[in-house]
Amino acid sequence: MANLSRILGPLLGVAAGVLVAGWFMKPTPASLPDTASVVQQMREVARLETLQVSLYKKVTFTPEPEATDALWKDVVNWARHTLQNPHGRAIVFADAHLGFDFQRIGPSSLHVVGTKVQVVLPPVDVRVELRPGETEVIDSNLDSTQTAQLLEKAKVAFERDVRADSRLQQRARDSAERSLRVLLLTLGYREVLFVEKLPSTGTAG
């Protein structure tokens, strides 16, 4: 048994090496799809939902204290200048969806050289949906119309929060890159790079 192990050990190592080498030395596909075809397949994804996060914010719309969050000052200032003796507070819940609209991708978003492709993603698309069933407006002197206005301003403030959050933006981008890399590798490309700007020279395939 020991002799058999000494014989099989090197053979298995060689076989594994051959398999790995074979993977990296796979022949290049006879032809890669042209840029227009690649763009069309990317557009068929339509909108890639890459990240969803749940949000909530406590908002006090009395004259004091001042709002400490600059992105939410509009909400407090609106209450101060719209209402007489405004008072009350709200706990607003929302879902934020971050994704990419691939209908905005065109041939100018890709740069192909051989089996290498560089891609510029469109801007992250942020969409916020309030959760009115969970939102609470407490001890408030707002009527129904004013409450609706308050919630709409809160929605805008949430969108600003998300757009200003670099970590959420990066998480959404990382997710989109993983999905598109799988698609482009499936189409036959060997190297997929995501860049902020395409090179100014070279030919596009």
Side-chain angles (χ1 to χ4, degrees):
M1 182 64 72
N3 291 335
L4 183 60
S5 298
R6 285 196 297 270
I7 294 171
L8 289 179
L11 288 177
L12 291 173
V14 171
V18 169
L19 288 173
V20 172
W23 171 258
F24 286 104
M25 296 175 64
K26 288 191 303 183
T28 302
S31 62
L32 291 167
D34 59 29
T35 302
S37 299
V38 176
V39 168
Q40 181 58 37
Q41 293 195 54
M42 293 174 73
R43 284 178 174 174
E44 287 175 359
V45 178
R47 186 179 185 281
L48 180 61
E49 187 78 34
T50 60
L51 188 64
Q52 176 177 323
V53 292
S54 296
L55 309 168
Y56 79 95
K57 185 76 174 181
K58 296 179 180 179
V59 183
T60 300
F61 42 92
T62 54
E64 297 293 341
E66 292 282 348
T68 57
D69 188 333
L71 294 174
W72 285 80
K73 281 186 176 179
D74 284 350
V75 178
V76 176
N77 288 336
W78 166 82
R80 177 180 293 118
H81 296 297
T82 302
L83 308 175
Q84 287 188 341
N85 186 30
H87 63 81
R89 62 189 186 278
I91 305 175
V92 186
F93 291 83
D95 290 319
H97 307 269
L98 292 86
F100 292 84
D101 182 2
F102 289 127
Q103 295 297 319
R104 301 173 64 177
I105 283 183
S108 60
S109 304
L110 305 178
H111 179 75
V112 178
V113 178
T115 59
K116 175 181 176 180
V117 58
Q118 293 177 292
V119 183
V120 175
L121 291 177
V124 177
D125 180 37
V126 176
R127 182 168 48 89
V128 171
E129 297 176 349
L130 296 180
R131 303 209 306 257
E134 298 178 37
T135 295
E136 298 181 47
V137 181
I138 306 165
D139 298 330
S140 166
N141 62 345
L142 276 65
D143 60 27
S144 59
T145 299
Q146 292 165 340
T147 299
Q149 292 174 338
L150 169 70
L151 295 179
E152 182 59 31
K153 288 188 174 293
K155 179 180 177 180
V156 172
F158 273 131
E159 289 178 351
R160 291 176 180 171
D161 269 348
V162 174
R163 292 184 189 281
D165 192 324
S166 60
R167 291 175 298 177
L168 287 180
Q169 299 277 324
Q170 189 60 51
R171 284 173 58 191
R173 182 183 177 90
D174 290 344
S175 180
E177 289 181 2
R178 285 193 295 269
S179 298
L180 285 183
R181 181 173 282 108
V182 170
L183 170 63
L184 293 168
L185 291 175
T186 301
L187 294 177
Y189 295 100
R190 293 291 184 80
E191 186 176 4
V192 180
L193 300 175
F194 294 92
V195 297
E196 296 295 331
K197 183 180 179 180
L198 295 179
S200 57
T201 59
T203 57

